[in-house]
Amino acid sequence: MQDIEKFIGGFSRFQQQYFNDNPDLYGSLRGGQRPRTLLIGCCDSRVDPVLLTGSDPGDMFVVRNIANLVPPCTPTASAGVSSAIEFAVCELEVERVIVLGHARCGGIRALMAPRPPQRETDFVGQWMRIAQPVAERVRRDLAHRSSDEQHHACELASILLSLDNLLTYPWLKRRVEEGKLKLHGWYFDLQSGALMAYSARQQQFLPLVCPLPAAH
């Protein structure tokens, strides 16, 4: 019951902040949403994109799944994720898409150290096959590195895979080519507290927000 009481108390604070202290915000949102950002993040409970970015209601259209993956545009693509991307890009006409990965991702760890299915279903394993080519490349190219280093490399590479897969959606690619949509790859290092962003020019992840000195 402690969790439930915490959630109810949290909603009361939310209600006070957005319906009493700032009634105009939801007044404007009742007519519809116009977020300018689509964020594709992980389901991990430690990585809440709204909390991490300090966003208000209406700022961000969020899609969360295991390991923040984007399936390629194929007839068998996951309708849940693909339909959310389609809605955000084609109907809401967002101006940017951020793929937000993070350190110590359980989905990537399961991909890098697979086990036989433990249940009658294997939905997690089926989903993580999207990133199988990345895992195989990391194992091949970094065979001499530790498992932690391989996991870290796979976390970063899976973000780039998702960015590439976004461009397989023709309507999304057109908006990118027309200059109406920007794609971003971000990585939250929950060990240090840093936020990294992929630089296509330098072909590496660089700090957007450096860790606090105390985090070292």
Side-chain angles (χ1 to χ4, degrees):
M1 286 300 293
Q2 259 187 336
D3 282 349
I4 295 296
E5 291 169 1
K6 178 179 179 180
F7 300 155
I8 294 171
F11 184 83
S12 295
R13 290 190 295 274
F14 161 83
Q15 182 188 58
Q16 178 68 30
Q17 180 178 354
Y18 289 110
F19 282 82
N20 189 54
D21 297 345
N22 187 14
D24 291 342
L25 177 59
Y26 264 98
S28 65
L29 291 174
R30 289 189 186 100
Q33 59 170 327
R34 296 304 303 174
R36 291 182 295 192
T37 298
L38 162 63
L39 188 142
I40 301 168
C42 184
C43 295
D44 195 302
S45 61
R46 301 166 295 178
V47 189
D48 185 327
V50 174
L51 183 64
L52 290 177
T53 59
S55 295
D56 285 323
D59 285 348
M60 187 181 289
F61 191 84
V62 179
V63 178
R64 298 180 72 175
N65 62 62
I66 292 179
N68 43 270
L69 294 178
V70 174
C73 184
T74 65
T76 58
S78 166
V81 174
S82 300
S83 64
I85 295 171
E86 181 181 74
F87 181 75
V89 172
C90 299
E91 301 297 327
L92 299 177
E93 298 184 339
V94 294
E95 299 171 9
R96 68 188 65 83
V97 181
I98 300 170
V99 177
L100 174 64
H102 68 95
R104 303 182 182 273
C105 177
I108 296 297
R109 189 163 293 276
L111 176 67
M112 294 297 292
R115 299 181 302 168
Q118 306 295 304
R119 294 165 291 277
E120 298 88 345
T121 58
D122 186 28
F123 295 131
V124 174
Q126 293 173 39
W127 174 253
M128 291 308 302
R129 288 191 193 114
I130 294 170
Q132 189 64 43
V134 166
E136 292 172 356
R137 187 170 71 247
V138 167
R139 289 193 197 98
R140 182 183 66 245
D141 295 347
L142 300 180
H144 58 293
R145 299 292 184 87
S146 69
S147 61
D148 283 346
E149 290 174 302
Q150 291 182 20
H151 292 160
H152 176 67
C154 193
E155 287 163 354
L156 297 179
S158 68
I159 296 172
L160 304 185
L161 173 70
S162 287
L163 292 174
D164 287 342
N165 284 348
L166 282 170
L167 292 173
T168 65
Y169 294 83
W171 29 263
L172 186 148
K173 185 178 181 181
R174 278 195 298 271
R175 289 187 66 81
V176 170
E177 292 172 344
E178 292 167 357
K180 297 177 180 178
L181 183 66
K182 301 291 185 185
L183 304 183
H184 304 270
W186 287 7
Y187 179 80
F188 170 46
D189 185 344
L190 53 80
Q191 179 76 20
S192 70
L195 180 64
M196 315 293 287
Y198 182 71
S199 168
R201 179 178 299 176
Q202 300 194 40
Q203 296 189 332
Q204 61 180 319
F205 282 83
L206 301 174
L208 265 183
V209 182
C210 292
L212 295 171
H216 294 296

